[in-house]
Amino acid sequence: MKPRIGITASLGQLDGRLRVHVPAAYVEAVAGAGGAAVILAPADEAAAGNALDAVHGLLLTGGDDLDPRLWGEPPHPKSVIIDPRRQRWDMRLIAVADERRLPVLGICLGCQELAVSRGGRLIQHVPDEKGGAADHGGGGRPRAIHTAEILPGSLLASFVGAGVLDVNSTHHQAIREPGRGLRIVARSPDGIIEGVEDPAPDRFFLGVQWHPEDLCDQPPHRALFQALCRVASDIRAIHD
């Protein structure tokens, strides 16, 4: 039996109807790593526990911006805030998964959500604070390519390797403060936080600011999904 990986989804209008959508690259990345994707469509927060009963790991996908009122700031003029139903749902999923010690991988927005869930704060618009910053692709596709320095001895380094890694990105927000119990494990050359993790033993609570799902043809990026599925498989063996 394959480990089931819950994948968060966005809400948006298409043809006049509200729809749930997930980029196929996330589903393909999980399938390619040996997992079975389960889409966790936004629902009532009270259902988060039941939703997580059905999976062995959680993948937090990218999307628009978190509401900065979560950390006590007014929105920036360039903020494009995600649907509040998704925000409430994602944050509750993270809280329950964290409590249950399920493996969690956060990507781009998902990485930022991990930080905020632990009381962290974000930079709302990178160009305002990082003059001469690397191109992080805030204007959208094609995704920018730059480098990230991966901290030796980190969980992240055990998957992708320590040192310099070529990464991609499309974001204008970034983590300012990682929050309780999280350490910074990757930065771009301009100082932007590119990775955070909980360093506690036997934890897989990891976020990356780039988009490895679009780089799964490269072993370091594919390794992130393989690691998530491997840890989730161990959870499945214990509980199923």
Side-chain angles (χ1 to χ4, degrees):
M1 293 287 290
K2 295 180 178 180
R4 297 184 294 276
I5 306 298
I7 302 178
T8 55
S10 296
L11 292 170
Q13 292 286 334
L14 180 65
D15 298 330
R17 301 183 68 182
L18 183 66
R19 299 179 186 268
V20 173
H21 59 93
V22 177
Y26 293 107
V27 175
E28 293 167 355
V30 167
V38 178
I39 307 304
L40 302 180
D44 187 277
E45 297 161 81
N50 289 337
L52 291 176
D53 286 343
V55 301
H56 309 105
L58 178 62
L59 175 59
L60 304 166
T61 63
D64 291 325
D65 304 329
L66 287 176
D67 188 335
R69 285 168 286 207
L70 286 172
W71 61 93
E73 294 179 7
H76 189 279
K78 292 189 178 293
S79 292
V80 180
I81 296 173
I82 63 174
D83 188 293
R85 290 165 291 190
R86 178 183 176 183
Q87 178 171 285
R88 291 191 297 267
W89 177 243
D90 283 12
M91 299 306 285
R92 184 57 186 159
L93 286 174
I94 295 168
V96 175
D98 198 5
E99 180 181 357
R100 294 183 181 182
R101 303 175 74 86
L102 287 177
V104 181
L105 174 62
I107 293 175
C108 196
L109 168 66
C111 178
Q112 297 165 10
E113 289 178 323
L114 292 184
V116 173
S117 76
R118 292 284 191 91
R121 300 168 62 230
L122 305 183
I123 298 170
Q124 288 198 53
H125 191 55
V126 169
D128 284 355
E129 301 190 25
K130 295 286 185 179
D135 183 4
H136 291 274
R141 290 180 174 82
R143 300 192 193 280
I145 302 294
H146 56 87
T147 61
E149 183 75 22
I150 311 300
L151 182 70
S154 63
L155 181 67
L156 178 60
S158 73
F159 305 142
V160 307
V164 176
L165 178 69
D166 288 331
V167 301
N168 57 351
S169 58
T170 174
H171 64 99
H172 78 113
Q173 295 195 326
I175 295 171
R176 183 191 301 280
E177 299 171 2
R180 297 181 303 275
L182 297 181
R183 67 170 175 169
I184 300 166
V185 293
R187 286 188 186 269
S188 57
D190 52 26
I192 293 296
I193 296 172
E194 293 285 339
V196 295
E197 67 184 38
D198 187 331
D202 302 320
R203 288 306 307 266
F204 189 116
F205 195 80
L206 168 66
V208 297
Q209 186 59 67
W210 68 90
H211 281 270
E213 77 280 6
D214 290 329
L215 297 173
C216 280
D217 59 325
Q218 301 176 29
H221 303 284
R222 185 167 63 248
L224 284 169
F225 299 97
Q226 291 171 331
L228 174 64
C229 290
R230 185 168 59 250
V231 177
S233 185
D234 293 340
I235 298 291
R236 182 195 62 78
I238 293 170
H239 294 291
D240 281 9

